[in-house]
Amino acid sequence: MDRGRRHRPGRDRQERHARRDHALRAHGGAQPVPLGARPARVDLGARARALSRAEAGPGPARRRVAPPGRSRRRRVRGLRADGLRVQRVGRLAAHQPGHVVGAGAAPLGEHAPPDHDPGAAHDRAARAAPGARPREREGRRVSPQIRVTDLKKHFRVHERAPGLAASLRSLFSRTHRTVRAVDGVSFEIAAGERVGFLGPNGAGKTTTLKMLSGLLHPTEGEVAVDGHVPQRREAAFLEKIMLVMGQKQQLIWDLPPADTFDLNRAIYEVPRAQFEETVRELTELLDLGDLVRKPTRELSLGERMKCELVAALVHRPRVLFLDEPTIGLDVSTQVVVREFIREYNLRHDATLILTSHYMDDVAALCPRVIVIDKGQLSYDGGLEALVMQVRPEKRLRLRLHAAAAEEEVEALGQIIEREEREIVVQVAQEALAGAVSRALERLPVTDFTVTAAPLEEVMSELFARSREARERSE
Ligand SMILES: Nc1ncnc2c1ncn2[C@@H]1O[C@H](COP(=O)(O)OP(=O)(O)OP(=O)(O)O)[C@@H](O)[C@H]1O
Ligand SMILES: [Mg+2]
């Protein structure tokens, strides 16, 4: 008997999703989204039945297998209700790139509390007509499109010591531990914002995105996305969002990406003309050309990721959850992908939450960042403000045409890099002007640049500080 199961409060939806993912994998799917890699022949019926069985669970009373007489469209609808991609619904109001709403630069280690009653606000958001637009943008607070209030996700995991004896013991007595993947996170995001969602490995980013897209149920707290409660996974909600995970794939492995695009068109009932216009626009932006007609298995990683993006955008979602979309891509493909994402955001006023460990992605795309660590928020505010808070010093890089005297270099500030003809010194903001004029006067300078500290350093410093703050409070 599986005694661990007895401790669980019934089979909740999350377990059904796990079974569904398993079923999808068994049917060739590779991920929690509905259209994973598959064998050469696509059997929509088998796939839909696998989904239904997985959703329904093993009990006969809960089986929801589509009867044989059901139309393909009906089955496809069933798929859609579980998937993340449906068709576009309207456009958004004009957006202001970089406009931070409801989250000024919070002090490190603490989050600026929203200036509203979170419970009432959530109720309002959930009751509001789907697609309700912010009423005011210029100078006044607008209603957020995404509202997360004291969100928690705790996983109860079974712990087993290594060894056969421990395995046998665990059959009779199980020990559990709670993983606090997300532990009380609150933030608000306005329509059209581009927000970087950052944190070290295991911080809780993917778990949060899964709750925002309705793949996981929160343990506690509230989420509202464009007036919907994601965990309900209503079709009207799924029509508005997309989730792309850089490490998962939805393209059908043995078929060309164009076939996956077309399958998504059918699943999400995108009108043919709109679909063709969208695919033309997106493939042009990504310079994909005829690549979309090659079997997916023959594409490079970068080409595949570009096609993944097109497949996920066929229905023109207005809220984009992007979980490490540039992972593993070479530098030039990273640039293409991030430019594409920005262009989509600008053209369609789409809201964007991006997780990435590549700070170049964040710098290029996200005027605002939300940083979490160990499931808790450690910063929410402007990227520049974050840099100014954590590393206000500037970097002065000097190129020289001759060697410089050691004491002259040391007098400028803290030496970060030192080569014969190139020197980088760190200088306090207020001492910068003096250091530049001194360098020009006393050193054989041919060229100089002033930059902020690299974002990677800023982030590791921030992570270190929040770790220290946590250890102090424990
Ligand atoms: N289904 C699960 N069961 C148990 N623990 C889980 C589950 N999913 C995630 N976790 C744990 O929750 C924590 C947060 O995981 P999550 O995947 O959200 O991190 P992340 O911030 O996305 O990290 P990364 O940058 O490595 O992708 C981790 O400690 C992880 O092991
Ligand atoms: Mg992750």
Side-chain angles (χ1 to χ4, degrees):
M1 180 174 56
D2 182 1
R3 297 185 62 186
R5 195 176 282 285
R6 278 204 320 214
H7 295 287
R8 297 184 194 171
R11 259 174 229 152
D12 63 16
R13 185 125 179 216
Q14 186 189 332
E15 285 184 291
R16 274 184 277 137
H17 280 299
R19 283 196 300 278
R20 172 177 155 265
D21 297 343
H22 179 76
L24 281 174
R25 276 192 291 277
H27 281 253
Q31 52 169 355
V33 288
L35 304 168
R38 290 183 42 77
R41 263 177 60 79
V42 180
D43 182 349
L44 273 177
R47 194 170 182 78
R49 286 191 294 279
L51 271 174
S52 300
R53 277 197 297 277
E55 279 285 287
R62 301 178 66 176
R63 281 174 74 96
R64 284 193 284 121
V65 180
R70 264 196 199 171
S71 69
R72 179 190 144 158
R73 189 178 164 103
R74 187 78 180 272
R75 284 182 201 156
V76 160
R77 279 217 179 115
L79 256 182
R80 187 182 69 171
D82 280 283
L84 291 172
R85 293 165 298 283
V86 199
Q87 79 187 63
R88 177 187 182 203
V89 180
R91 284 177 172 243
L92 300 187
H95 97 292
Q96 297 172 316
H99 181 58
V100 177
V101 176
L108 296 179
E110 89 184 45
H111 169 54
D115 59 1
H116 62 276
D117 168 2
H122 172 263
D123 288 345
R124 273 200 306 280
R127 274 199 306 271
R133 295 281 157 270
R135 259 172 267 130
E136 191 65 57
R137 286 203 160 263
E138 296 295 328
R140 279 208 281 148
R141 190 181 170 78
V142 296
S143 51
Q145 187 181 39
I146 298 175
R147 181 173 281 155
V148 169
T149 312
D150 205 15
L151 185 65
K152 294 185 183 166
K153 182 69 195 180
H154 296 173
F155 294 105
R156 193 151 180 267
V157 292
H158 168 214
E159 272 195 329
R160 198 180 67 190
L164 184 62
S167 294
L168 288 173
R169 262 199 311 279
S170 78
L171 290 174
F172 304 100
S173 128
R174 290 194 164 208
T175 52
H176 293 89
R177 128 186 110 85
T178 300
V179 177
R180 296 169 183 273
V182 179
D183 203 21
V185 166
S186 302
F187 57 82
E188 293 178 353
I189 294 175
E193 271 199 88
R194 297 192 304 265
V195 178
F197 194 49
L198 311 180
N201 290 131
K205 305 178 295 293
T206 300
T207 306
T208 305
L209 290 191
K210 284 181 178 173
M211 287 190 279
L212 284 171
S213 50
L215 285 177
L216 281 178
H217 280 207
T219 306
E220 268 179 48
E222 309 285 359
V223 186
V225 176
D226 209 28
H228 300 276
V229 177
Q231 69 211 54
R232 293 188 191 144
R233 298 178 64 74
E234 297 150 337
F237 164 71
L238 298 171
E239 285 171 359
K240 294 176 185 171
I241 68 149
M242 70 88 137
L243 169 67
V244 162
M245 301 174 116
Q247 312 212 39
K248 310 267 170 134
Q249 169 175 318
Q250 69 152 313
L251 294 171
I252 300 164
W253 188 243
D254 288 310
L255 297 182
D259 286 12
T260 304
F261 306 161
D262 202 43
L263 191 57
N264 282 3
R265 178 196 61 74
I267 287 171
Y268 303 118
E269 298 167 352
V270 182
R272 174 73 67 180
Q274 181 191 311
F275 164 77
E276 278 167 8
E277 187 203 322
T278 305
V279 171
R280 192 169 46 247
E281 180 197 350
L282 301 181
T283 50
E284 268 173 29
L285 273 173
L286 286 165
D287 203 15
L288 277 167
D290 283 341
L291 283 175
V292 299
R293 312 215 174 279
K294 267 173 88 174
T296 299
R297 69 183 131 75
E298 290 175 17
L299 300 179
S300 75
L301 180 66
E303 291 163 351
R304 268 206 319 268
M305 179 41 76
K306 290 179 189 174
C307 293
E308 286 286 341
L309 285 166
V310 177
L313 294 169
V314 156
H315 63 293
R316 298 235 169 144
R318 61 176 62 167
V319 181
L320 277 46
F321 301 120
L322 296 157
D323 194 8
E324 303 192 48
T326 55
I327 193 164
L329 306 186
D330 71 45
V331 178
S332 62
T333 312
Q334 280 178 29
V335 172
V336 171
V337 166
R338 72 174 78 109
E339 282 307 312
F340 170 78
I341 292 169
R342 182 215 285 276
E343 190 58 34
Y344 185 88
N345 155 267
L346 294 174
R347 283 192 191 184
H348 304 291
D349 288 322
T351 311
L352 197 151
I353 302 186
L354 168 89
T355 81
S356 180
H357 291 289
Y358 299 129
M359 289 304 114
D360 287 348
D361 287 350
V362 178
L365 283 172
C366 306
R368 174 183 169 194
V369 291
I370 294 175
V371 184
I372 60 167
D373 198 356
K374 294 270 182 228
Q376 293 183 346
L377 212 127
S378 57
Y379 179 84
D380 181 355
L383 184 60
E384 279 181 28
L386 172 66
V387 176
M388 285 305 290
Q389 255 181 276
V390 177
R391 278 289 175 87
E393 306 86 11
K394 295 288 183 203
R395 299 274 164 102
L396 174 59
R397 181 179 290 272
L398 301 164
R399 282 213 181 82
L400 311 175
H401 57 79
E406 188 72 26
E407 61 278 9
E408 289 294 349
V409 177
E410 281 172 1
L412 294 176
Q414 185 194 345
I415 300 171
I416 303 286
E417 281 174 45
R418 175 89 207 252
E419 285 171 31
E420 201 187 331
R421 300 292 167 91
E422 190 155 327
I423 299 162
V424 181
V425 283
Q426 185 161 285
V427 185
Q429 173 77 52
E430 55 282 5
L432 182 63
V436 170
S437 44
R438 187 184 172 108
L440 294 176
E441 245 172 56
R442 307 209 179 182
L443 299 180
V445 176
T446 53
D447 188 14
F448 75 93
T449 50
V450 176
T451 53
L455 260 185
E456 285 77 3
E457 278 183 29
V458 173
M459 296 315 295
S460 12
E461 169 105 27
L462 179 65
F463 298 157
R465 285 192 202 178
S466 56
R467 213 169 20 250
E468 277 166 26
R470 216 174 26 248
E471 282 164 9
R472 271 199 306 276
S473 69
E474 278 168 7

